[in-house]
Amino acid sequence: MALPDIRFTAPDPAAIAAHPGLVAVFGDLALDAEARRVDRITKGALTRALTSDAWDSVPEGEAMVLAYPSNMAASAILFIKLPRRAEASVLRKAGASVGKALKTEGALVLAKAVKSIAPLVEGAALRAYSYARRAEAPKAPGAITFCVNDPDHAVAAAREVLAVAAGVHFTRDLVNDPANILTTTEFAERLVALRKLGLEVEVLDEPALETLGMRALLGVGQGSDSPSKVVVMHWKGAEGAPFALVGKGVVFDTGGISIKPASGMEEMIMDMGGAGTVAGTMMALALRKARANVVGLVGLVENMPDGKAQRPGDVVTSMKGDTIEIINTDAEGRLVLADVLWYAQERFKPSGIIDLATLTGACMVALGYENSGVFSNDDDLCNALLKAAQAQDEGAWRLPLGPAYDQLIKSRMADMKNAGGRWAGAITAAQFLQRFIKKDQPWVHIDIAGTAYPASDTTFAPKGASGWGVRTLDALIKARFES
């Protein structure tokens, strides 16, 4: 879904009473000047709300809805609790309150008193998202018009956050799309279309992957009619060694021969969430013309049971040359990432590398839907990532690595096995990936199994794909290379 139409205008007293959709105003212990104007029009409706017991229970950034206010054409007043010196996180939440309530008639946001407009706009743009593939297309939401003192300044201030929000929406569309629509070929074509934004995009097909020796990745997809691919996206906004982002792109995961239970399998359309996040981040960097050199690589496969499918007990050889005993064909994402991680290092010699994957149910058991699991061999890069996630209100929590966990993936016949059993499943998956990271290569692995596709709506997204990670990675890159 495209971003909603977002506009900026100077305050217009006549527009307040005439707007047919939502009118959003702000208050905390008192009403700001625009809210007082609305209060006069409605003969004290906001004053009564402000002094009610119900207002005390409204959290900061959230809204009380006053439906069909008198003397106004509006369907509702969205009365948002906002402190005078609200932090960015509260402003984003306030914007999300507008985006969530947005209907076809649009919204008029009286933001003259808001000192920092960008996070307010960001929250509205992020939350004003919906996804559906019904016969009758849903009605598009109306425009969100922000009334501000200096519209030109607001346009400039909001440019970058809107670019990132567009990347988030792109990620959500990819993750929400069903696998009969988002095949590996369709996914690659959508990424090739990003060339129009200035990205260099290259698609490696199965013969090329075979030549490179990516037999761990190819083994995952050999039971599917959809051809396996690796797509490389490069944004050259600066000189020097690139920073690398790597994403798992399993467009559908049946588990293969180690087939998953039928119940809930339909949600495995989201198993390409890591690749979706990398794609959305690369789009955001290109849209905002980031002054950074970043390469994004995604491994696109489908894991299906078939007469040609990989079996438990098979041994495959990775691009690195290490052999892997297949214990469970449902532990497939690490096989995809292993080859793409090695290829990224061999070809690009990156200054740092971050991979993202909906990798393990074990991470969801540990952290639920609130936090992504973070693993790293480099404290500086990891701490920078965690700081960026916190600033963007995206939950992330560091989990350990250690040599003792290697014993759980020790194979009697190969260099390693692809599954370590019931205990510490998220850690053994990360420990597996670390074997494909070169010495002295700064690296972070992020397990987004819970955060990519939460079970219910969140502050910034309806139920379904969240787009987790696009804002965090963009903020990390900005702080690391552009500040």
Side-chain angles (χ1 to χ4, degrees):
M1 173 186 165
L3 290 180
D5 181 11
I6 291 179
R7 307 169 183 175
F8 301 93
T9 67
D12 178 4
I16 295 174
H19 193 277
L22 293 171
V23 174
V25 296
F26 303 104
D28 186 15
L29 299 176
L31 303 174
D32 65 27
E34 297 292 273
R36 288 197 298 273
R37 184 185 299 275
V38 173
D39 194 45
R40 288 194 296 271
I41 295 171
T42 59
K43 300 189 182 305
L46 295 186
T47 296
R48 292 193 296 275
L50 190 67
T51 56
S52 70
D53 292 339
W55 180 253
D56 293 337
S57 63
V58 175
E60 290 183 350
E62 295 189 16
M64 177 185 288
V65 179
L66 307 178
Y68 302 106
S70 60
N71 302 318
M72 294 179 66
S75 58
I77 294 172
L78 207 61
F79 189 22
I80 301 172
K81 183 177 283 189
L82 191 71
R84 294 274 181 176
R85 293 178 176 83
E87 296 181 352
S89 60
V90 178
L91 286 164
R92 267 196 296 268
K93 192 175 179 181
S97 294
V98 176
K100 183 177 182 178
L102 187 65
K103 298 293 188 294
T104 56
E105 299 86 358
L108 182 69
V109 183
L110 305 182
K112 182 179 176 181
V114 175
K115 297 292 188 288
S116 181
I117 195 68
L120 184 70
V121 174
E122 180 184 17
L126 288 170
R127 190 58 180 82
Y129 174 87
S130 63
Y131 178 90
R133 285 192 172 273
R134 300 184 178 93
E136 183 178 350
K139 294 180 180 179
I144 306 176
T145 302
F146 291 87
C147 293
V148 294
N149 284 320
D150 187 342
D152 291 339
H153 173 77
V155 168
R159 185 183 69 82
E160 289 196 354
V161 296
L162 289 176
V164 177
V168 173
H169 281 223
F170 183 55
T171 295
R172 290 175 183 170
D173 286 346
L174 290 169
V175 177
N176 280 325
D177 264 345
N180 64 320
I181 293 171
L182 190 76
T183 63
T184 55
T185 298
E186 171 66 17
F187 199 154
E189 288 175 355
R190 293 191 196 181
L191 301 187
V192 168
L194 296 178
R195 287 172 178 165
K196 66 181 181 291
L197 302 180
L199 284 165
E200 295 180 5
V201 184
E202 177 184 1
V203 181
L204 306 178
D205 59 12
E206 286 185 343
L209 302 180
E210 181 67 38
T211 299
L212 287 166
M214 290 196 190
R215 295 181 182 87
L217 181 150
L218 287 169
V220 176
Q222 70 189 35
S224 172
D225 288 337
S226 288
S228 298
K229 302 175 185 291
V230 170
V231 181
V232 181
M233 299 161 280
H234 202 162
W235 174 253
K236 295 180 178 178
E239 300 298 323
F243 191 77
L245 306 175
V246 173
K248 168 190 170 184
V250 180
V251 296
F252 194 79
D253 183 19
T254 65
I257 298 300
S258 306
I259 197 163
K260 294 177 181 289
S263 178
M265 194 193 290
E266 70 279 359
E267 291 190 353
M268 287 299 102
I269 61 172
M270 49 71 74
D271 211 22
M272 38 57 65
T277 297
V278 171
T281 303
M282 297 305 297
M283 179 183 186
L285 296 175
L287 283 171
R288 70 174 185 82
K289 302 292 186 288
R291 299 183 307 280
N293 186 358
V294 182
V295 61
L297 304 96
V298 295
L300 307 181
V301 302
E302 185 177 39
N303 189 21
M304 298 288 279
D306 180 81
K308 303 185 296 295
Q310 186 165 256
R311 298 156 291 248
D314 285 0
V315 175
V316 297
T317 302
S318 68
M319 182 182 172
K320 179 187 175 187
D322 287 349
T323 57
I324 304 163
E325 180 187 6
I326 307 302
I327 300 298
N328 186 336
T329 63
D330 195 24
E332 85 299 331
R334 64 202 71 182
L335 302 173
V336 174
L337 289 174
D339 277 345
V340 183
L341 284 167
W342 193 257
Y343 176 71
Q345 294 166 93
E346 287 281 283
R347 177 175 173 181
F348 293 105
K349 309 294 188 296
S351 61
I353 189 165
I354 294 176
D355 75 77
L356 301 98
T358 51
L359 205 62
T360 67
C363 193
M364 294 175 67
V365 172
L367 299 175
Y369 297 104
E370 301 302 317
N371 287 282
S372 294
V374 178
F375 305 81
S376 182
N377 65 358
D378 186 280
D379 288 345
D380 287 343
L381 179 57
C382 185
N383 290 338
L385 183 281
L386 293 171
K387 182 178 179 181
Q390 183 179 30
Q392 297 303 312
D393 303 310
E394 293 195 311
W397 193 265
R398 189 174 187 178
L399 294 168
L401 293 167
Y405 295 105
D406 281 324
Q407 297 302 311
L408 297 175
I409 55 173
K410 188 175 182 179
S411 169
R412 69 173 182 85
M413 61 191 299
D415 292 314
M416 70 198 81
K417 56 186 181 180
N418 78 323
R422 180 179 180 185
W423 308 118
I427 299 173
T428 55
Q431 204 75 30
F432 179 96
L433 294 177
Q434 190 175 33
R435 295 190 176 199
F436 298 90
I437 299 299
K438 296 185 177 186
K439 185 180 179 181
D440 299 325
Q441 171 68 67
W443 162 72
V444 171
H445 160 60
I446 311 177
D447 193 329
I448 60 172
T451 52
Y453 204 78
S456 59
D457 65 341
T458 66
T459 301
F460 300 112
K463 184 178 179 180
S466 68
W468 190 101
V470 173
R471 293 189 295 126
T472 289
L473 293 176
D474 180 80
L476 172 71
I477 289 164
K478 184 180 292 185
R480 200 167 182 86
F481 301 108
E482 301 178 82
S483 62

